Amino acid sequence: MIPFVIFLLGLCVGSFLNVAIFRIHEGGSVVRGRSKCQTCEEPISARDLVPVLSFLILKGRCRKCQSVLSWQYPIVELVTGGLFLLAFQRDGLSLTFVRDCVFLSYLIIIFVYDLRHMLIIDRFTIPAMIFAIIVNLWLGIVPAWSILVGGLVLAAFFWIQFLVSRGTWVGGGDIRMGALMGFMLGLEQGLVALFIAYLLGAIVGVGLLVSGKANRKTPIPFGTFLATASVVVLFVGEPIVRWYLGLFV
Ligand SMILES: [Zn+2]
């Protein structure tokens, strides 16, 4: 029963994340006002706001004008539900579970926003950083030095690239994202996440080049890879670090 409730909670949070992504891009308030169809501007009634189900019942179209709704809505809802469930399987009902759900929510929002708009914005990374520092110091899951040094090292990694390339390789958003990853995951796991992000970026980049869907000048939403890698490391970072250190002992 509890896993089912956690999944439903995840669906609802995913639904909220969708609204936040859309409204922040439009420059509006996240909490005030009713959601409207993006084409005909008809306010969406409560019965059409049920996560995933409404999308299926409406066959992915607006009830009034029949314009096609974005697949982003059900996908983000399902992914959020699934990840919350995974976190619950590992953490049980604990403060670590709450921490992981907040981390996951921020990472999902950063993933989608960067994919859609090619931007990692401070409105997500700064509050997430403050939350990560406070909750990690408080819960003591990651050693304090590792959190603080991790944030500094990963931010410096992007900051140096920013200086060398005069802001052409990476942007200020990447520097803040680096800091966030360090504060969330600590130094060791943060570095693992960085490595996985570059690996994923290379695989997807080569795939797009080979399939002719992109050329060398096509910009890559790197925040999307950084967020994906952070989610992976949030779940399996510990065994990876243990395995890696085990190679040298
Ligand atoms: Zn409409």
Side-chain angles (χ1 to χ4, degrees):
M1 183 61 191
I2 296 178
F4 183 67
V5 174
I6 299 288
F7 182 68
L8 284 186
L9 174 80
L11 291 185
C12 296
V13 171
S15 181
F16 173 76
L17 297 181
N18 276 321
V19 173
I21 291 162
F22 176 66
R23 292 200 181 168
I24 284 177
H25 184 64
E26 299 281 293
S29 159
V30 180
V31 280
R32 262 178 290 126
R34 284 177 64 188
S35 293
K36 285 184 260 177
C37 167
Q38 289 164 42
T39 311
C40 69
E41 304 221 310
E42 173 82 0
I44 300 169
S45 61
R47 64 173 171 170
D48 291 341
L49 284 171
V50 184
V52 185
L53 269 187
S54 292
F55 190 89
L56 292 177
I57 292 168
L58 294 168
K59 298 194 180 72
R61 288 175 182 276
C62 166
R63 187 180 288 276
K64 186 163 178 242
C65 72
Q66 294 295 307
S67 63
V68 177
L69 302 172
S70 170
W71 273 95
Q72 179 197 314
Y73 293 102
I75 290 175
V76 167
E77 286 158 3
L78 285 171
V79 167
T80 310
L83 290 175
F84 276 24
L85 199 55
L86 271 181
F88 172 72
Q89 302 275 346
R90 184 183 66 176
D91 306 329
L93 278 184
S94 61
L95 286 172
T96 310
F97 169 69
V98 177
R99 179 199 79 146
D100 288 350
C101 287
V102 176
F103 281 0
L104 288 168
S105 301
Y106 273 118
L107 292 170
I108 291 167
I109 230 176
I110 290 167
F111 175 100
V112 179
Y113 202 91
D114 196 36
L115 191 63
R116 283 188 85 102
H117 307 301
M118 301 288 301
L119 275 175
I120 308 172
I121 59 175
D122 294 346
R123 249 182 109 166
F124 305 139
T125 49
I126 306 263
M129 261 188 246
I130 295 168
F131 175 79
I133 295 173
I134 293 172
V135 81
N136 277 339
L137 289 178
W138 181 40
L139 293 179
I141 307 169
V142 190
W145 71 266
S146 177
I147 299 163
L148 301 174
V149 175
L152 291 177
V153 167
L154 268 73
F157 173 80
F158 287 109
W159 182 63
I160 290 167
Q161 292 187 62
F162 184 83
L163 286 185
V164 170
S165 71
R166 291 166 198 263
T168 53
W169 296 343
V170 298
D174 297 287
I175 301 173
R176 256 92 69 191
M177 184 67 190
L180 171 61
M181 290 166 70
F183 292 141
M184 269 186 183
L185 305 166
L187 179 64
E188 294 102 327
Q189 296 192 28
L191 291 174
V192 173
L194 207 54
F195 177 76
I196 293 177
Y198 274 91
L199 199 66
L200 283 175
I203 293 169
V204 173
V206 168
L208 290 175
L209 281 178
V210 170
S211 64
K213 289 203 173 96
N215 59 48
R216 285 175 181 285
K217 293 232 167 92
T218 309
I220 297 261
F222 199 54
T224 300
F225 296 104
L226 292 171
T228 308
S230 301
V231 170
V232 171
V233 166
L234 202 55
F235 286 109
V236 294
E238 247 182 70
I240 293 179
V241 169
R242 239 184 292 132
W243 166 78
Y244 183 75
L245 294 176
L247 294 179
F248 303 100
V249 182

